[in-house]
Amino acid sequence: MNLKFIFQSFILCAFVGSTYSFAQDDVEDEACVEPDKKVMKLIAQGESSKNDKHERLDAFINATREAPENAYTYFAFANFNYESAEKVMTDFEAGRANYAQIQTAYMSAAKGYEKVIQYCPSFHSEAYYKLGEIYLMFNDKAKASQYFR
Protein backbone atom coordinates (compact mmCIF):
# COMPACT_ATOMS: atom_id res chain seq x y z
CA MET A 1 0.00 0.00 0.00
CA ASN A 2 2.81 2.39 0.80
CA LEU A 3 4.37 1.75 -2.63
CA LYS A 4 1.03 2.52 -4.32
CA PHE A 5 0.79 5.84 -2.46
CA ILE A 6 4.34 6.79 -3.46
CA PHE A 7 3.64 5.93 -7.10
CA GLN A 8 0.41 7.99 -7.14
CA SER A 9 2.20 10.92 -5.52
CA PHE A 10 4.96 10.72 -8.09
CA ILE A 11 2.45 10.72 -10.98
CA LEU A 12 0.57 13.68 -9.47
CA CYS A 13 3.78 15.68 -8.97
CA ALA A 14 4.95 14.92 -12.49
CA PHE A 15 1.60 16.04 -13.93
CA VAL A 16 1.42 19.24 -11.86
CA GLY A 17 5.06 20.02 -12.59
CA SER A 18 4.65 19.59 -16.34
CA THR A 19 1.45 21.66 -16.35
CA TYR A 20 3.20 24.41 -14.39
CA SER A 21 6.13 24.27 -16.80
CA PHE A 22 3.85 24.65 -19.84
CA ALA A 23 1.98 27.50 -18.20
CA GLN A 24 5.26 29.25 -17.46
CA ASP A 25 6.39 28.87 -21.08
CA ASP A 26 3.20 30.57 -22.28
CA VAL A 27 3.58 33.44 -19.84
CA GLU A 28 7.25 33.96 -20.65
CA ASP A 29 6.65 34.26 -24.40
CA GLU A 30 4.86 37.61 -24.61
CA ALA A 31 5.23 37.63 -28.40
CA CYS A 32 2.60 34.91 -28.72
CA VAL A 33 -0.22 36.43 -26.66
CA GLU A 34 -2.63 39.28 -27.20
CA PRO A 35 -1.02 42.66 -26.53
CA ASP A 36 -2.34 45.05 -23.89
CA LYS A 37 -5.69 46.87 -24.16
CA LYS A 38 -4.21 50.01 -25.69
CA VAL A 39 -2.69 48.05 -28.56
CA MET A 40 -5.85 45.96 -28.97
CA LYS A 41 -7.83 49.19 -29.33
CA LEU A 42 -5.44 50.34 -32.08
CA ILE A 43 -5.80 46.98 -33.83
CA ALA A 44 -9.60 47.27 -33.61
CA GLN A 45 -9.37 50.72 -35.22
CA GLY A 46 -7.22 49.24 -37.96
CA GLU A 47 -9.65 46.41 -38.58
CA SER A 48 -12.73 48.65 -38.56
CA SER A 49 -14.17 49.30 -42.00
CA LYS A 50 -15.72 52.50 -40.60
CA ASN A 51 -12.28 54.15 -40.81
CA ASP A 52 -10.74 55.09 -44.14
CA LYS A 53 -7.66 53.28 -45.42
CA HIS A 54 -5.19 55.88 -44.15
CA GLU A 55 -6.68 55.90 -40.63
CA ARG A 56 -6.57 52.12 -40.59
CA LEU A 57 -2.95 52.11 -41.77
CA ASP A 58 -1.98 54.65 -39.09
CA ALA A 59 -3.68 52.54 -36.42
CA PHE A 60 -1.70 49.45 -37.43
CA ILE A 61 1.57 51.38 -37.61
CA ASN A 62 0.96 52.75 -34.11
CA ALA A 63 0.05 49.27 -32.85
CA THR A 64 3.34 47.84 -34.13
CA ARG A 65 5.21 50.74 -32.50
CA GLU A 66 3.50 50.06 -29.17
CA ALA A 67 4.09 46.28 -29.35
CA PRO A 68 7.09 45.90 -31.67
CA GLU A 69 7.72 42.22 -30.93
CA ASN A 70 4.17 40.91 -30.78
CA ALA A 71 3.01 38.34 -33.35
CA TYR A 72 -0.68 39.19 -32.84
CA THR A 73 -0.08 42.80 -33.90
CA TYR A 74 1.92 41.86 -36.97
CA PHE A 75 -0.62 39.20 -37.95
CA ALA A 76 -3.46 41.73 -37.92
CA PHE A 77 -1.35 44.23 -39.88
CA ALA A 78 -0.29 41.57 -42.42
CA ASN A 79 -3.94 40.57 -42.94
CA PHE A 80 -4.81 44.22 -43.59
CA ASN A 81 -1.98 44.46 -46.13
CA TYR A 82 -3.05 41.17 -47.74
CA GLU A 83 -6.61 42.43 -48.17
CA SER A 84 -5.25 45.64 -49.68
CA ALA A 85 -3.07 43.58 -52.05
CA GLU A 86 -6.12 41.61 -53.19
CA LYS A 87 -7.82 44.91 -54.06
CA VAL A 88 -4.75 45.95 -56.04
CA MET A 89 -4.93 42.60 -57.87
CA THR A 90 -8.56 43.31 -58.75
CA ASP A 91 -7.49 46.73 -60.05
CA PHE A 92 -4.73 45.07 -62.09
CA GLU A 93 -7.18 42.66 -63.65
CA ALA A 94 -9.37 45.64 -64.59
CA GLY A 95 -6.37 47.48 -66.07
CA ARG A 96 -6.13 50.08 -63.30
CA ALA A 97 -2.86 48.89 -61.67
CA ASN A 98 0.51 47.60 -62.83
CA TYR A 99 2.64 44.61 -61.85
CA ALA A 100 4.96 46.68 -59.63
CA GLN A 101 1.98 47.82 -57.57
CA ILE A 102 0.85 44.23 -57.09
CA GLN A 103 4.31 43.12 -56.06
CA THR A 104 4.70 46.00 -53.60
CA ALA A 105 1.30 45.32 -52.05
CA TYR A 106 1.80 41.59 -51.60
CA MET A 107 5.37 41.96 -50.36
CA SER A 108 4.12 44.35 -47.65
CA ALA A 109 1.86 41.56 -46.44
CA ALA A 110 4.71 39.05 -46.71
CA LYS A 111 6.94 41.18 -44.47
CA GLY A 112 4.23 41.18 -41.81
CA TYR A 113 3.71 37.42 -41.98
CA GLU A 114 7.48 36.90 -41.77
CA LYS A 115 7.54 39.01 -38.59
CA VAL A 116 4.76 36.83 -37.15
CA ILE A 117 6.85 33.73 -37.76
CA GLN A 118 10.00 35.43 -36.47
CA TYR A 119 8.43 36.36 -33.15
CA CYS A 120 6.16 33.36 -32.64
CA PRO A 121 6.57 30.46 -35.09
CA SER A 122 3.56 28.61 -33.70
CA PHE A 123 1.20 31.61 -33.72
CA HIS A 124 -0.99 30.75 -36.71
CA SER A 125 -0.66 28.42 -39.69
CA GLU A 126 -2.26 31.02 -41.94
CA ALA A 127 0.95 33.07 -41.85
CA TYR A 128 2.85 30.17 -43.43
CA TYR A 129 0.12 29.46 -45.97
CA LYS A 130 -0.20 33.05 -47.14
CA LEU A 131 3.57 33.42 -47.41
CA GLY A 132 3.68 30.29 -49.56
CA GLU A 133 0.85 31.65 -51.66
CA ILE A 134 2.57 35.03 -52.13
CA TYR A 135 5.93 33.57 -53.08
CA LEU A 136 4.31 31.09 -55.45
CA MET A 137 2.43 33.96 -57.10
CA PHE A 138 5.77 35.65 -57.83
CA ASN A 139 7.26 32.36 -59.06
CA ASP A 140 9.68 31.87 -56.14
CA LYS A 141 8.98 28.17 -55.80
CA ALA A 142 11.83 27.50 -53.36
CA LYS A 143 10.54 30.02 -50.82
CA ALA A 144 6.94 28.98 -51.43
CA SER A 145 7.70 25.33 -50.68
CA GLN A 146 9.58 26.37 -47.53
CA TYR A 147 6.40 27.94 -46.15
CA PHE A 148 3.98 25.29 -47.44
CA ARG A 149 5.78 22.56 -45.45
Side-chain angles (χ1 to χ4, degrees):
M1 177 132 167
N2 196 13
L3 186 61
K4 184 178 178 183
F5 175 75
I6 292 171
F7 180 72
Q8 288 175 338
S9 297
F10 174 75
I11 297 295
L12 180 63
C13 288
F15 176 74
V16 170
S18 66
T19 304
Y20 177 73
S21 173
F22 287 128
Q24 253 188 341
D25 288 345
D26 289 344
V27 171
E28 289 175 6
D29 197 0
E30 293 293 321
C32 296
V33 296
E34 280 189 6
D36 63 25
K37 288 182 182 181
K38 180 180 178 184
V39 176
M40 288 302 293
K41 185 176 179 181
L42 289 168
I43 291 171
Q45 289 172 356
E47 291 175 338
S48 174
S49 59
K50 292 178 183 177
N51 298 326
D52 71 22
K53 184 177 179 177
H54 295 293
E55 290 173 331
R56 294 174 73 190
L57 182 62
D58 285 343
F60 281 120
I61 289 170
N62 290 332
T64 57
R65 285 184 184 147
E66 291 290 325
E69 295 182 357
N70 185 274
Y72 190 98
T73 304
Y74 282 102
F75 187 72
F77 195 11
N79 283 335
F80 169 76
N81 284 329
Y82 190 86
E83 289 172 15
S84 296
E86 288 181 324
K87 290 175 185 171
V88 173
M89 179 61 91
T90 302
D91 289 345
F92 176 77
E93 290 168 351
R96 295 187 302 265
N98 62 38
Y99 183 78
Q101 291 171 313
I102 293 171
Q103 191 170 22
T104 301
Y106 276 107
M107 293 316 286
S108 293
K111 286 179 185 176
Y113 291 126
E114 287 170 346
K115 288 279 191 182
V116 170
I117 293 169
Q118 175 187 344
Y119 294 125
C120 186
S122 63
F123 182 75
H124 203 294
S125 62
E126 190 175 326
Y128 291 93
Y129 177 77
K130 287 203 174 163
L131 276 168
E133 194 176 63
I134 290 167
Y135 285 117
L136 188 60
M137 183 185 309
F138 295 111
N139 215 20
D140 191 342
K141 293 177 184 175
K143 267 193 170 179
S145 68
Q146 173 188 347
Y147 290 111
F148 280 137
R149 289 184 191 170

